[in-house]
Amino acid sequence: MQRLTALPASFRALAAAATLIAVVGNSTATSALFVPYRRSWGLSAADIGLAFAVYVGTLIPVLLLFGGAAERFGRRAVVAAGLVTMLAGTALLLVAHGFSGLVVARLVQGVGAALSVAAISATFTENWRGRLPAGQALTILTAIALSTGPVLTAVAYNLGGGTNASYLPIFALGLAALGLLPAFAGRPAANTGGVAPTEISLPDVDVWRGLRFAMAAIFLAWAGVSLYLSLVPAYLAGALHAANPLVGALAFLGLETATVIAGIALSKLSPQAGGTWGPAAIVAGLALLVAGTNANNWSVIVLATILVGGATGVASGAAFAVVARVGVGQRARVFSRLLVVAYAGYSIPSLLTGVIAAHTSFEVGFLAVTAALALVAAATPLLRERSRPRVVVCRTSAAAA
C-alpha cells in the first residue's frame, strides 16, 4: 500500500473532499423523500419532524464523547468507522417500510457523521492549497455535500426508485469512498514520524477566544439552513401541488448555490467581519421568508433564498476559518466542538418552532425563533477575538525532506 508520505497534499485534500461529500450526502438523502413518505407511509407532519431531528440524538453525544478519538487512534480508523456506520444507516433505509425503520436508520447515520466529519474536515483544511482560504473552501465543499444527497435521491425516485431503492446512488457513492481511506493519516499525529508538520497547540485561552466566536456564527448559519428547509420545500410543494421530491431538492440546491457563490465572491472578507455580518443577514433573510410565503410573493422568496444562502456561506466560512487557525495541533478535536454547536443549530431552532407551532401557528413559531436568533446575532460581535493568536509550526527533518 502506498505510504501517506508519498501522497501529495492536493490528493489528500481531494480525497477528503470526496469522502465528505459521500458522508454528508448519505446523511441528508432522506430529506428529499419526506413528501413521498407522508403519501406512501401515511406519516404525519409530526412524524417527519421527529425523523428530521432525531439524527442529532446520537450525533451530538458521540461528538462530545469521541471528539478527540482521531488524536488517539489516527484519522483513518475514525473516518473508516464513521463511513461504515453511515453506510449501515443508509442500508437500513434501503429496507425500511415504516416510521420506526426510518428513525433507527437516522440514529445510526448520526453516529456515522459524528465519528467522521470532524476528522475529514481537519484533513481537508490542512491539505488545501487552492486560492480560496481553507475555511471558505470547506464551506463551499459542505454546501455541495449537503445538496448532493437530496438531489441524487430525488432523481432516483423520479426514475422509479421508490422510497427504498432511491438511496442506491448515494449508497454506491459511500462505498466508493472506502477506497480513499489510505489518504487519511493511519496513526495519531504525534506518531507519524514526521509525515506532516508537528504543530504546537495554542493555549486554551486562545483556542476558546476564537472558538466561542466561531460557535455563535456556525450556530446561526446552520439554524438558517434548518429553518429554510422546514418552511420553503413544504411551501413550494403545497403552492405548486407538487408531490415530486425534486421540487424540494431543487429549492435546497438553490439555497446551497447561493452559499457557494457568496463563498467565492466574498472570500477575501475577514473572519471577524463575516462572522458579524453573516448572522445578521441570515436573520433578515428568515424574516423575509415568512413575509414572502405569507404574501405568496415569489420575488421575496427568491430574495430571501439568496440572502439566507449567501449569508450562511459567509458565516460558515468565518467559523471554519477561525477554527482552522486556532485549532493547530488538535484540529479534529476543535472541529468536533464546533460541529456540536453546528448540529445544535440545525436541530434546536426547528424543534422549538414545532413546539410553539403546536400551541399557536407555524408562522408564530417561526417568527419567535427568528427573533431569538436575532438576539444571538446581535451578541455575536461581542465574542470576537481581541487579537489574532500567533501560530507556531515546527517541521521535523522528515517533513522538511
Side-chain angles (χ1 to χ4, degrees):
M1 181 179 294
Q2 189 180 27
R3 293 184 62 200
L4 187 63
T5 50
L7 296 176
S10 58
F11 176 80
R12 293 198 294 272
L14 182 62
T19 306
L20 187 68
I21 290 172
V23 170
V24 176
N26 271 269
S27 73
T28 58
T30 52
S31 61
L33 296 187
F34 284 156
V35 173
Y37 282 152
R38 295 186 66 175
R39 188 179 66 253
S40 301
W41 295 358
L43 300 185
S44 66
D47 292 335
I48 295 299
L50 179 58
F52 181 79
V54 74
Y55 172 77
V56 299
T58 51
L59 189 148
I60 291 180
V62 172
L63 274 173
L64 290 171
L65 292 173
F66 300 102
E71 272 82 24
R72 292 186 59 191
F73 305 108
R75 292 179 184 174
R76 187 181 306 162
V78 172
V79 172
L83 184 53
V84 170
T85 306
M86 178 62 71
L87 289 173
T90 306
L92 290 174
L93 291 172
L94 287 167
V95 298
H97 290 288
F99 176 68
S100 59
L102 178 60
V103 168
V104 171
R106 293 290 290 159
L107 288 172
V108 174
Q109 286 188 325
V111 176
L115 288 173
S116 57
V117 172
I120 297 171
S121 300
T123 299
F124 177 80
T125 55
E126 286 174 355
N127 293 284
W128 172 254
R129 299 293 185 269
R131 294 183 179 180
L132 290 174
Q136 209 64 53
L138 181 58
T139 296
I140 294 171
L141 175 61
T142 302
I144 294 171
L146 287 169
S147 56
T148 296
V151 171
L152 284 181
T153 305
V155 170
Y157 183 86
N158 286 338
L159 293 176
T163 54
N164 294 108
S166 294
Y167 292 108
L168 283 174
I170 198 67
F171 182 76
L173 185 62
L175 287 177
L178 291 171
L180 299 173
L181 290 175
F184 297 91
R187 289 172 289 171
N191 301 318
T192 54
V195 171
T198 300
E199 298 174 322
I200 299 175
S201 299
L202 295 175
D204 288 343
V205 64
D206 288 334
V207 174
W208 173 243
R209 185 183 297 126
L211 190 56
R212 65 185 183 184
F213 177 67
M215 284 177 170
I218 203 76
F219 180 88
L220 286 158
W222 286 50
V225 172
S226 176
L227 290 174
Y228 181 92
L229 286 175
S230 69
L231 175 60
V232 175
Y235 169 79
L236 290 177
L240 300 175
H241 305 289
N244 190 336
L246 197 58
V247 172
L250 289 178
F252 188 41
L253 180 61
L255 180 78
E256 297 304 325
T257 299
T259 298
V260 171
I261 293 173
I264 296 173
L266 301 175
S267 61
K268 296 187 181 300
L269 194 67
S270 71
Q272 288 79 8
T276 298
W277 296 108
I282 289 170
V283 172
L286 292 174
L288 282 177
L289 275 179
V290 176
T293 52
N294 282 336
N296 197 26
N297 189 318
W298 293 92
S299 297
V300 175
I301 294 173
V302 171
L303 177 61
T305 298
I306 295 172
L307 191 56
V308 173
T312 295
V314 171
S316 296
F320 287 140
V322 170
V323 167
R325 190 176 69 201
V326 304
V328 293
Q330 50 176 342
R331 281 196 178 91
R333 184 188 303 273
V334 176
F335 266 111
S336 294
R337 295 173 183 171
L338 184 71
L339 288 172
V340 168
V341 178
Y343 280 104
Y346 195 70
S347 58
I348 293 175
S350 292
L351 183 61
L352 289 177
T353 300
V355 171
I356 296 173
H359 298 87
T360 55
S361 67
F362 183 83
E363 288 76 13
V364 171
F366 199 99
L367 284 173
V369 171
T370 300
L373 293 178
L375 295 177
V376 178
T380 300
L382 303 177
L383 304 176
R384 288 194 305 185
E385 300 172 85
R386 296 183 182 274
S387 62
R388 178 172 178 170
R390 185 168 61 91
V391 178
V392 180
V393 180
C394 300
R395 295 181 181 274
T396 63
S397 58

